[in-house]
């Protein structure tokens, strides 16, 4: 996998909530989820039940998109990521335990909660950072 640019890596490590959109069978739904970044693999790890509305849609169609952003007051402070990813429900116990251990390392308050574990395999990232230059964009595409 090609390396994710440093400014995108730093942004992903400084934030912890992704808003994602899933769709299937003519239905679309958005949800905000806490994440842990596994940037060596280009993944975000989330915990959410497959029985939620967005979980059911991701099972039916694993292609999702999303955003990660703060809450700036001024346009000049806008800094955020748009992404597309492939969502994969982890059913292999070894993979699941590795992913959940990373998630708990980032979000220790989540320990003891029983939830499904997902990997969002990032395929495309676009960071817009008006703090550098208005409209400054950094783009990354997964290359295998």
């Amino acid at each position: 996998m090609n390396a994710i640019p440093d400014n995108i890596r730093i942004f992903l490590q400084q934030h912890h909530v992704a808003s994602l959109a899933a769709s299937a069978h003519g239905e679309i739904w958005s949800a905000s989820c806490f994440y842990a970044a596994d940037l060596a693999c280009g993944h975000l790890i989330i915990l959410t039940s497959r029985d939620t509305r967005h979980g059911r849609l991701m099972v039916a169609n694993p292609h999702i998109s999303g955003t990660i952003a703060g809450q700036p007051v001024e346009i000049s402070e806008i800094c955020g990521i748009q992404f597309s990813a492939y969502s994969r429900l982890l059913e292999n116990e070894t993979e699941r335990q590795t992913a959940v251990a990373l998630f708990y390392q980032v979000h220790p308050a989540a320990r003891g909660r029983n939830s499904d574990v997902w990997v969002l395999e990032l395929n495309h990232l676009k960071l817009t950072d008006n703090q550098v230059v208005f409209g400054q964009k950094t783009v990354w595409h997964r290359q295998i």
Side-chain angles (χ1 to χ4, degrees):
M1 181 189 86
N2 52 320
I4 296 173
D6 287 341
N7 58 340
I8 294 176
R9 294 172 72 80
I10 290 166
F11 184 89
L12 289 171
Q13 291 168 334
Q14 290 176 339
H15 291 78
H16 58 271
V17 176
S19 295
L20 55 93
S23 68
H25 315 298
E27 182 180 3
I28 188 166
W29 195 248
S30 297
S32 295
C33 299
F34 282 87
Y35 71 84
D38 181 354
L39 298 177
C41 298
H43 295 164
L44 299 181
I45 298 161
I46 65 169
L47 274 56
T48 192
S49 171
R50 70 183 88 196
D51 295 327
T52 61
R53 191 169 179 184
H54 59 282
R56 287 191 308 269
L57 292 171
M58 290 190 303
V59 167
N61 177 12
H63 299 281
I64 63 162
S65 65
T67 61
I68 302 168
Q71 296 292 312
V73 175
E74 301 291 330
I75 291 174
S76 62
E77 298 171 345
I78 290 174
C79 186
I81 285 183
Q82 295 166 282
F83 68 87
S84 65
Y86 184 85
S87 60
R88 187 166 53 92
L89 178 61
L90 295 181
E91 308 224 45
N92 174 285
E93 192 55 31
T94 302
E95 277 187 303
R96 188 181 184 291
Q97 286 180 1
T98 300
V100 84
L102 177 60
F103 190 89
Y104 289 161
Q105 192 174 38
V106 176
H107 304 289
R111 285 189 191 281
R113 299 213 168 117
N114 188 17
S115 184
D116 293 314
V117 181
W118 301 74
V119 166
L120 308 182
E121 298 173 355
L122 298 167
N123 294 317
H124 179 91
L125 295 165
K126 181 174 79 171
L127 172 68
T128 300
D129 189 351
N130 285 355
Q131 298 169 3
V132 175
V133 172
F134 188 82
Q136 174 68 40
K137 311 266 192 258
T138 304
V139 177
W140 174 85
H141 299 278
R142 179 181 295 274
Q143 295 174 354
I144 299 178

